[in-house]
Amino acid sequence: IEKSLEEVFEEKIANDIRIEPKDWMPEQYRKTLVRQISQHAHSEIVGMLPEGNWITRAPSLKRKAILLSKVQDEAGHGLYLYSAAETLGTTRDQMIADLHSGKAKYSSIFNYPTLSWADIGAIGWLVDGAAIMNQVPLIRTSYGPYARAMVRVCKEESFHQRQGFEIMMTLCNGAPAQKQMAQEAFNRWWWPTLMMFGPKDSESPNTEQSMRWKIKRFTNDELRQRFVDMMVPQAEFLGLTVPDKDLKWNETKNGYDFGDVDWEEFWNVVKGNGPCNKDRLSARVKAHEEGAWVREAALAHAQKRAQREAQ
Ligand code: FAQ
């Protein structure tokens, strides 16, 4: 008996065989992937802004060079992910238009300001740490181009995280004022980082279907728990205090109990009302508009070349 397209697709998912761009896939699977991958790409691009803010003010030439290449890596991840999303039939222009109109989301975390140099350490340590926790399982996501993109992205992210931890360690071993800067940055970034994993499973409309299709390999709450369990010992090693009075080791579950995230703050930021949402979006729109002449020139150049080759 001939199998239906849907049966072939389901069989591949069940047997952990990757779905590739030219394979048949349910329309909703395609839509979910375009949503998640484009949102991920936008996060990388918008994510360059908070750190970019410190490139000119890094405390040494060495720190400046390291930060410059980290931010450049993020641009690379963004472009890589836009390409992965394009294999699903959308265009980069469409995705960028959706970001600029506010229709497409990007990670809530990048709507917080970077107030001191310690924030650059905290972003590398915590934000890249959360990104790795979330993205390593995506190496096994069911869509081939996304899974393959994650391999290189995760290698670079793990380097970024060490970079952040090293900044934090230098500050924590420094003068009392430096240690205090590190603690203050930790206080400001801890809770927003926990929000990166998305709403609680009970409030997450996409998790169930995405788990069934093996787009997501773990739920939001599972990854958030793993992240807390990984970070608490690292904070202790640095001599920093986790800003959560409810944090407590739970022997039975072999993990930490921790306080509830401020979900009102989360949704407020997601809806566009965080401390930097307007700045971030207007910086992206401005960069796009100011780059119009480059795109026009590149197009004219390509057309001229094609004409010459046709002669
Ligand atoms: N911010 O049903 P769910 C980085 C939205 S790392 C804003 O649970 P899903 C590296 C969600 O889109 C950051 N919106 O959704 C870096 C949905 O709305 P929609 C990027 C959020 O997709 C480091 C609604 O809430 N990483 O960039 C957030 O199953 C340092 C309901 O949520 C990725 O994108 C949020 N935090 O799970 C760069 C990883 N959370 O779309 C620079 C890939 C949820 O229906 C410097 N993505 N929403 O309108 C994922 O793993 C998933 O998409 C989740 C959300 C886990 C983020």
Side-chain angles (χ1 to χ4, degrees):
I1 323 156
E2 187 116 13
K3 285 182 195 143
S4 73
L5 291 168
E6 180 131 27
E7 280 167 340
V8 174
F9 171 84
E10 288 297 343
E11 215 170 86
K12 282 188 187 151
I13 297 286
N15 294 318
D16 285 333
I17 296 170
R18 297 257 164 79
I19 306 300
E20 296 298 338
K22 289 186 176 151
D23 293 347
W24 183 90
M25 60 187 86
E27 232 7 73
Q28 201 51 40
Y29 178 84
R30 187 185 296 276
K31 266 179 86 172
T32 299
L33 279 166
V34 169
R35 178 182 65 76
Q36 178 167 328
I37 302 172
S38 65
Q39 184 167 286
H40 193 165
H42 298 326
S43 302
E44 298 281 357
I45 299 298
V46 178
M48 296 164 76
L49 296 169
E51 290 172 296
N53 182 36
W54 278 88
I55 290 173
T56 56
R57 292 178 288 160
S60 70
L61 182 60
K62 187 178 123 193
R63 294 288 187 202
K64 191 198 286 272
I66 294 170
L67 184 59
L68 201 56
S69 21
K70 179 187 192 285
V71 173
Q72 197 171 303
D73 285 352
E74 282 149 14
H77 298 173
L79 299 183
Y80 214 24
L81 286 159
Y82 282 132
S83 297
E86 280 181 315
T87 65
L88 291 155
T90 179
T91 65
R92 194 171 300 206
D93 284 345
Q94 184 60 52
M95 290 184 271
I96 289 173
D98 286 348
L99 171 70
H100 293 176
S101 72
K103 190 175 155 212
K105 296 187 168 83
Y106 58 88
S107 183
S108 50
I109 193 74
F110 303 117
N111 293 307
Y112 292 86
T114 41
L115 302 179
S116 81
W117 172 253
D119 290 45
I120 301 305
I123 289 179
W125 176 42
L126 299 171
V127 176
D128 284 280
I132 293 167
M133 191 53 87
N134 167 274
Q135 287 167 39
V136 166
L138 291 176
I139 293 175
R140 294 189 302 114
T141 195
S142 57
Y143 186 58
Y146 193 25
R148 288 188 288 275
M150 283 301 106
V151 175
R152 175 177 176 165
V153 168
C154 287
K155 280 186 188 157
E156 294 182 353
E157 298 286 24
S158 86
F159 186 66
H160 294 171
Q161 201 215 0
R162 280 155 188 255
Q163 172 269 161
F165 186 78
E166 202 264 335
I167 292 176
M168 293 303 271
M169 200 144 79
T170 304
L171 292 172
C172 290
N173 291 331
Q178 287 175 302
K179 176 96 189 261
Q180 194 188 335
M181 244 169 76
Q183 180 67 54
E184 281 169 10
F186 187 30
N187 293 349
R188 280 184 281 110
W189 289 90
W190 175 250
W191 291 104
T193 304
L194 295 188
M195 296 175 196
M196 285 175 72
F197 295 94
K200 289 193 269 219
D201 294 350
S202 55
E203 315 272 314
S204 161
N206 299 301
T207 293
E208 201 188 322
Q209 184 58 264
S210 289
M211 293 285 285
R212 222 178 301 136
W213 277 330
K214 298 183 181 170
I215 293 174
K216 285 167 95 164
R217 291 293 189 154
F218 295 98
T219 71
N220 301 355
D221 286 335
E222 283 167 353
L223 292 172
R224 194 169 9 251
Q225 178 70 53
R226 283 178 173 216
F227 177 75
V228 172
D229 293 343
M230 177 177 85
M231 297 316 277
V232 173
Q234 294 186 14
E236 279 168 2
F237 182 83
L238 290 170
L240 295 175
T241 308
V242 182
D244 178 357
K245 59 177 175 29
D246 297 319
L247 187 81
K248 203 169 152 236
W249 178 253
N250 181 329
E251 195 63 49
T252 2
K253 78 172 188 191
N254 198 28
Y256 286 92
D257 288 332
F258 55 98
D260 205 15
V261 168
D262 182 347
W263 293 113
E264 209 179 296
E265 175 181 326
F266 170 73
W267 289 115
N268 197 40
V269 175
V270 171
K271 282 183 196 136
N273 307 317
C276 300
N277 294 59
K278 292 197 176 59
D279 281 0
R280 300 297 185 233
L281 216 51
S282 66
R284 287 313 314 153
V285 171
K286 183 165 176 273
H288 191 70
E289 283 168 359
E290 289 178 353
W293 71 271
V294 180
R295 293 189 297 278
E296 279 160 27
L299 196 65
H301 180 66
Q303 278 165 350
K304 231 192 238 171
R305 249 172 76 169
Q307 236 168 35
R308 218 177 293 142
E309 272 159 29
Q311 272 166 12

